[in-house]
Amino acid sequence: MTLVRNPVLPGCYPDPTICRVGQDFYLVTSTFEYFPGLPIFRSDDLASWQQIGHVVDRSSQLDLDGIASSGGLYAPTLRHHDGTFWLVCTLVDQQDSTRGGNFVMTATDPAGPWSDPTWLDADGIDPSIFFDDDGRVWVHGTRLARDPQWHDQTEIWVRELDPGTLQLVGPEHVVWNGALRDVVWAEAPHLYKVDGTYYLLAAEGGTEFHHAVSVARADSVTGPYVGNKGNPVLTHRHLGRRSDVAAVGHADLVEAADGTWWAVVLGTRPYGGYHDNLGRETFLVPVAWEDGWPVFAPGVGRVTSEVEVPFAGQWRPGVAQGRASGTVRPDDPRWTSLRRPAAEFASARGDGWDLRLGPSTLSDPLTPAFLGVRQQHAEVDVRATVRAALRAEEEVGLAVRQSEDDHVRLVVTGGDGGSGRKVVAVHRRRGVESTLGELSLGQGDDAVELTMRARGQDYSLLAHGSGAGPVTVAVVDGRALDSVTTGGFVGLWIGAYASSNGRPTRTIAHLERFDYVPTE
Ligand code: 6LW
């Protein structure tokens, strides 16, 4: 028996989906505009998760260019059937609804390679796939109701998939609008068959504070589905905004080899007021069956900070669980870039990277030289040691990123018209930039150490030139950066960043090392 710490995946790992093959569990989460996309984790005990790859690791699989922040890859579903892993997901472009859509990818090895997508003739988001025991396969998802009776009403549809052609066939069945009257955003549907009965699990209320999980059951896969009288069966919305965990919903169920049942859900851990800088994280919840219905966290009714898992071994947290501290080396699975592979602008060198500056910036929905990791701890020091011979207007340093419009940079610049290097702290807030502080460095190209020190919502930005002690260049209120303030679906990323700010350049900056050091 081991006490498993929640969240099992801290930081921006939302919309978890889980399946089991033999003794092993596999889990995938959403990644929006980040690349590589859809990280896949393996665990043999639900406690310790090791990242084994990404479902999307070639830009030839999907084109994320130009997709603005909080668009991109939403809510996947992962299943295993007959020796094949199946993943269904949506590529969303919020500016261009004709782009992207729902797709299927398959793999025989979950670590990859995964196939190119096959696009499905289905609109909406949050697709899921269910393999019935009669050999038939059913895809389901959610979309805005075709004939809405209330604002933001969605409908969950079910349609058969031909597993040979990967095309949807036959009639479509609209089976669910949510458990409660006038409820918004019935979404994240997943179908299961347990003891001959079909169960539909779905989120409702929207993925933020009012998020909830409801369940319905039917004798036939296409319904009619009858809701549980206890719906919603899991939510934290009645706990208020001071709850340690909020926004709980978007559940997926799995049965362990010993017959116990579990759910993974997303939730947030607000701090400094109702702000979720770490994003929507993945939590584990025990499930029991009573009277033919799943009971989430029986006897407790909420997500807890520790969960007893009877078959769990000793706690062996994986690096992606954020409990590894220290230098993030080039082979670390936490590294992510924006929209395209980091190899297009970065090459590993020693403990760090060479970063080729390019004209694009963090404000463009493109691929600037940004290599980051999720902020997974409220208290953490992130340090980048950089060295570069920069020209005027060029910059290299650290960035704390929410989106194109909201981020903070602590960067070395080539100075003003070549008059000397300096460190500049810049806050881009709702698309408008302001300089928060500056520190002169003098001429030369010796290494500069830049630190982002998060202590709750105080993000101190420090710079340390050779010989000198660290100097605080600015302190930023992190509440300006979280998605409660800015909108969107993602938590914060912290990364190394370099740009020539629109100019042609051949400058290469060296990131000597990048350290992620939580205080706990
Ligand atoms: C996800 C959906 C949701 O597809 O957020 O508002 C989306 N609801 O379930 C992105 O995580």
Side-chain angles (χ1 to χ4, degrees):
M1 178 79 75
T2 294
L3 281 177
V4 173
R5 269 168 68 183
N6 258 330
V8 290
L9 291 176
C12 184
Y13 290 110
D15 309 324
T17 175
I18 191 169
C19 71
R20 178 177 65 86
V21 186
Q23 298 290 327
D24 289 328
F25 300 92
Y26 296 90
L27 191 156
V28 178
T29 63
S30 301
T31 43
F32 304 91
E33 71 271 28
Y34 286 94
F35 193 97
L38 308 178
I40 181 158
F41 300 90
R42 180 170 55 214
S43 171
D44 58 9
D45 64 0
L46 297 172
S48 305
W49 291 93
Q50 309 296 331
Q51 190 173 336
I52 57 169
H54 286 91
V55 175
V56 177
D57 61 1
R58 311 182 298 275
S59 43
S60 57
Q61 279 168 297
L62 287 172
D63 174 15
L64 298 173
D65 272 351
I67 289 190
S69 180
S70 286
L73 291 168
Y74 281 23
T77 298
L78 178 71
R79 295 290 182 258
H80 180 263
H81 181 73
D82 248 357
T84 299
F85 287 85
W86 293 70
L87 182 121
V88 289
C89 188
T90 319
L91 175 67
V92 177
D93 183 340
Q94 289 168 324
Q95 277 71 45
D96 178 0
S97 60
T98 63
R99 184 170 171 191
N102 292 296
F103 61 85
V104 188
M105 288 180 179
T106 56
T108 45
D109 181 348
W114 282 79
S115 71
D116 287 339
T118 299
W119 297 94
L120 297 173
D121 177 22
D123 55 0
I125 57 169
D126 295 6
S128 186
I129 186 165
F130 165 65
F131 295 86
D132 207 344
D133 47 21
D134 62 1
R136 297 175 79 178
V137 187
W138 299 88
V139 171
H140 34 298
T142 190
R143 63 180 181 218
L144 283 169
R146 295 267 154 90
D147 181 19
Q149 313 292 303
W150 61 83
H151 184 63
D152 280 349
Q153 181 189 353
T154 55
E155 59 194 21
I156 288 169
W157 55 268
V158 177
R159 200 172 164 203
E160 191 165 5
L161 180 86
D162 178 334
T165 62
L166 298 184
Q167 292 305 315
L168 296 172
V169 290
E172 178 185 83
H173 306 264
V174 171
V175 297
W176 190 246
N177 300 108
L180 300 189
R181 203 177 141 170
D182 296 342
V183 80
V184 298
W185 294 107
E187 59 191 8
H190 292 302
L191 285 173
Y192 315 87
K193 192 175 196 177
V194 182
D195 292 338
T197 299
Y198 296 91
Y199 290 87
L200 171 66
L201 204 60
E204 62 187 57
T207 192
E208 292 159 358
F209 179 72
H210 292 105
H211 212 191
V213 180
S214 289
V215 61
R217 68 184 183 193
D219 294 329
S220 157
V221 68
T222 55
Y225 281 87
V226 177
N228 182 316
K229 290 195 167 53
N231 278 332
V233 286
L234 182 68
T235 185
H236 278 212
R237 60 191 175 201
H238 57 300
L239 301 177
R241 287 189 162 76
R242 292 193 193 169
S243 176
D244 57 341
V245 180
V248 168
H250 206 118
D252 196 9
L253 288 175
V254 69
E255 184 183 12
D258 70 347
T260 54
W261 284 77
W262 305 88
V264 285
V265 299
L266 75 77
T268 59
R269 289 180 294 163
Y271 57 91
Y274 191 71
H275 293 278
D276 59 4
N277 302 46
L278 308 184
R280 297 172 300 156
E281 311 179 282
T282 291
F283 293 80
L284 182 68
V285 179
V287 173
W289 289 84
E290 287 182 17
D291 306 324
W293 290 106
V295 178
F296 289 76
V300 181
R302 51 158 297 166
V303 172
T304 51
S305 56
E306 290 183 329
V307 181
E308 278 187 11
V309 178
F311 50 83
Q314 214 191 333
W315 179 247
R316 292 172 279 114
V319 77
Q321 284 173 280
R323 286 166 184 128
S325 127
T327 303
V328 187
R329 299 203 161 74
D331 61 355
D332 194 295
R334 283 175 288 179
W335 286 119
T336 27
S337 52
L338 288 160
R339 304 176 183 91
R340 298 186 64 83
E344 296 188 4
F345 60 81
S347 340
R349 170 141 75 106
D351 276 348
W353 298 91
D354 278 337
L355 297 174
R356 278 185 297 285
L357 276 66
S360 67
T361 74
L362 279 178
S363 310
D364 309 316
L366 300 171
T367 304
F370 174 81
L371 253 182
V373 300
R374 292 161 177 83
Q375 184 183 351
Q376 298 181 290
H377 301 82
E379 306 221 329
V380 61
D381 283 3
V382 181
R383 255 190 320 271
T385 307
V386 296
R387 181 191 291 270
L390 299 172
R391 297 192 307 175
E393 309 292 334
E394 296 183 341
E395 59 181 277
V396 57
L398 272 178
V400 185
R401 178 181 190 273
Q402 161 67 229
S403 65
E404 286 78 62
D405 281 349
D406 291 279
H407 51 255
V408 167
R409 309 193 307 273
L410 177 68
V411 286
V412 179
T413 72
D416 200 3
S419 68
R421 296 187 308 160
K422 56 187 175 178
V423 173
V424 189
V426 178
H427 187 173
R428 184 172 173 92
R429 187 173 192 160
R430 298 189 190 283
V432 179
E433 299 214 343
S434 49
T435 300
L436 305 178
E438 289 189 357
L439 176 73
S440 282
L441 289 173
Q443 301 293 349
D445 61 358
D446 42 342
V448 182
E449 189 178 288
L450 303 164
T451 304
M452 192 287 307
R453 174 167 296 163
R455 295 293 179 270
Q457 295 295 0
D458 289 337
Y459 287 64
S460 299
L461 306 173
L462 301 102
H464 194 149
S466 61
V471 176
T472 302
V473 183
V475 181
V476 178
D477 185 345
R479 282 170 277 245
L481 288 167
D482 87 306
S483 68
V484 174
T485 300
T486 64
F489 291 127
V490 293
L492 298 184
W493 255 254
I494 304 173
Y497 170 64
S499 176
S500 64
N501 290 304
R503 310 252 174 116
T505 180
R506 292 196 180 160
T507 303
I508 296 177
H510 183 45
L511 172 69
E512 290 185 354
R513 52 188 286 171
F514 184 92
D515 298 297
Y516 182 96
V517 187
T519 58
E520 64 182 62

